[in-house]
Amino acid sequence: MKYFVMVQGTQADYEAMAGRASADSPAWTEQDVRAMFAFMEGINAELVESGEMVEGQGLAEPARTRSVLPPGADGRPVVSDGPCREGELRLAGYWVLDCASPERVTEIAARIAQCPQPEGAPVHPVLIRPVMDDGGELTGATG
């Protein structure tokens, strides 16, 4: 089964990683950032070696988000470029993993959640969502 595993962040988190503290997060040092990247590279290497990695990427800061809505009155799509709302969690990075079970992908997410960060930095959950093979899985949704 394939799973979409997501890490989240706010614009303040990205600014903190660039060394700019805010009320929401302390400034990260260069050593903090290197430790985070080394940790993620290690997890990625293990997932490639185990054959579970389908794809994974980190994403640019939320301020670089572009939103596209259906056409407005003028018939053209409504496009807006960042910024996002202050403090709003956005997708910061993802993996598509092919795992044998929900327990295995949960084990991987628990390891990802242990990524090093400076004391006082906000903790965001690692999210897991199954990838639907076909629309038939929608019928089992509850609400």
Side-chain angles (χ1 to χ4, degrees), residues 7 39-40 43 108-117 123-126:
V7 290
F39 179 87
M40 290 299 185
I43 285 180
I108 294 166
R111 287 204 47 236
I112 293 168
Q114 296 175 35
C115 183
Q117 61 183 27
V123 176
H124 306 301
V126 176

Side-chain angles (χ1 to χ4, degrees), residues 54-136:
V54 175
E55 180 183 355
Q57 296 290 327
L59 301 176
E61 64 183 316
R64 295 178 57 191
T65 299
R66 174 170 278 186
S67 299
V68 181
L69 292 169
D74 64 0
R76 295 179 11 186
V78 178
V79 178
S80 60
D81 291 323
C84 58
R85 291 189 303 241
E86 188 73 25
E88 183 175 39
L89 280 175
R90 295 289 179 119
L91 184 62
Y94 70 92
W95 294 261
V96 176
L97 303 177
D98 193 351
C99 296
S101 68
E103 293 77 22
R104 174 62 182 145
V105 74
T106 300
E107 176 185 310
I108 294 166
R111 287 204 47 236
I112 293 168
Q114 296 175 35
C115 183
Q117 61 183 27
E119 184 73 30
V123 176
H124 306 301
V126 176
L127 305 176
I128 302 167
R129 292 183 60 187
V131 174
M132 294 183 356
D133 289 329
D134 59 43

Side-chain angles (χ1 to χ4, degrees), residues 1-42:
M1 174 105 194
K2 289 186 181 142
Y3 297 91
F4 194 64
V5 178
M6 302 162 273
V7 290
Q8 302 176 94
T10 65
Q11 183 62 37
D13 295 329
Y14 279 79
E15 290 175 16
M17 286 187 277
R20 295 183 297 275
S22 70
D24 298 319
S25 186
W28 289 45
T29 66
E30 188 175 322
Q31 182 179 355
D32 293 328
V33 173
R34 279 197 307 263
M36 185 252 321
F37 280 118
F39 179 87
M40 290 299 185
E41 287 171 5

